[in-house]
Amino acid sequence: MSVVLEDRPIEQVREEVIDNLIYNYSHGVISAEAFERRLDKAMSTQVHAEIVALTADLTMQADEKYTAQKDASLNINYGQKSAGDKLDIKTVLGNSSRTGKWAVPKEINLLNVLGSTTLDFSDAVFEHQEVTVNVNCILGSEKILIPEGVNVICEAFCILGNVENKAPSIAPKQAPTIKIKGKLWLGSIDVEIKRTIKEKFVSFANELKSLFDDGSYGKYK
């Protein structure tokens, strides 16, 4: 890969190298161990030359079809309006959840009394860039699972409870933002990333490998 280091933003170089690592691994050119070792280095190093060196011995280049597959698999899902502007979820002495590929409205209202509510945004389809989750929780628990790359801002008022946000608002500006508001009495709100970006890369690479692995390429150790 020909790269003029001083003219290329490091994140652009990093993305291209990771794409080529995934592409070569999925075609059987490098082993799973080599792929994960190089992927770790590509994601952590801040030196252009070290990133570029990770694919210097690989000849296969990611193509347009790969890019389309990656965008469909890894990007945040956006869709047309179909969910309405509001969703009310009431939980009393029980469990409620939203998971899978569900359409996210602009506003979600959670009433939880001595129950457990889970909102899983991992595969959800966002219809608005900003989503508000209003919490009214008494002696209950709220779990919010998100994909990496979504902003989460927690402004809930807590009385003798616990709010833990493991997904601070550091995603790109164009990413969806989930604002958590409301009140919490003797309960908990737990915001977690369900899958890290590395886990997504590895999963996507293995999906491609299941399609392309024919054993015709040697493996670098």
Side-chain angles (χ1 to χ4, degrees):
M1 179 169 55
S2 177
V3 178
V4 180
L5 296 181
E6 62 271 18
D7 293 340
R8 301 290 301 281
I10 191 168
E11 292 307 325
Q12 183 180 354
V13 174
R14 192 191 315 277
E15 181 179 7
E16 291 179 3
V17 166
I18 289 174
D19 284 344
N20 287 328
L21 286 174
I22 293 173
Y23 196 72
N24 279 271
Y25 166 66
S26 68
H27 283 74
V29 178
I30 56 176
S31 66
E33 293 79 8
F35 167 62
E36 290 210 37
R37 183 175 65 249
R38 296 187 193 199
L39 179 61
D40 285 338
K41 187 80 176 285
M43 295 180 67
S44 63
T45 186
Q46 298 300 317
V47 180
H48 280 80
E50 291 181 0
I51 297 174
V52 174
L54 294 169
T55 53
D57 57 344
L58 306 179
T59 59
M60 299 189 74
Q61 302 284 312
D63 54 19
E64 292 183 0
K65 184 176 181 181
Y66 164 87
T67 301
Q69 289 173 310
K70 183 184 77 168
D71 289 344
S73 179
L74 299 182
N75 285 355
I76 301 298
N77 295 320
Y78 279 102
Q80 300 298 318
K81 293 184 177 180
S82 62
D85 290 332
K86 186 168 68 172
L87 171 66
D88 296 326
I89 300 177
K90 299 178 181 179
T91 307
V92 179
L93 293 169
N95 301 297
S96 298
S97 66
R98 285 293 186 278
T99 188
K101 199 167 185 178
W102 59 288
V104 181
K106 189 175 183 65
E107 182 178 350
I108 302 174
N109 299 312
L110 303 179
L111 173 61
N112 185 347
V113 181
L114 292 164
S116 175
T117 304
T118 299
L119 294 179
D120 187 347
F121 293 95
S122 302
D123 297 310
V125 179
F126 286 86
E127 300 178 348
H128 309 275
Q129 190 167 1
E130 185 172 301
V131 175
T132 300
V133 178
N134 296 309
V135 175
N136 188 2
C137 180
I138 303 172
L139 292 166
S141 65
E142 314 282 356
K143 177 172 284 189
I144 298 177
L145 304 173
I146 65 164
E148 196 165 35
V150 171
N151 296 304
V152 177
I153 301 172
C154 192
E155 301 173 348
F157 179 66
C158 181
I159 302 173
L160 294 175
N162 181 62
V163 177
E164 188 168 7
N165 182 7
K166 298 177 183 176
S169 53
I170 56 174
K173 291 182 179 180
Q174 68 272 20
T177 296
I178 299 173
K179 290 187 176 181
I180 304 173
K181 299 182 177 182
K183 295 180 180 179
L184 183 72
W185 290 272
L186 293 166
S188 66
I189 298 176
D190 190 11
V191 181
E192 299 179 0
I193 294 175
K194 187 171 183 179
R195 287 199 304 169
T196 65
I197 191 62
K198 179 190 174 181
E199 289 171 330
K200 288 183 178 181
F201 284 147
V202 172
S203 177
F204 175 57
N206 285 326
E207 288 175 10
L208 288 185
K209 186 172 177 60
S210 69
L211 297 175
F212 299 121
D213 188 8
D214 59 5
S216 62
Y217 293 94
K219 291 181 169 57
Y220 292 90
K221 300 300 183 184

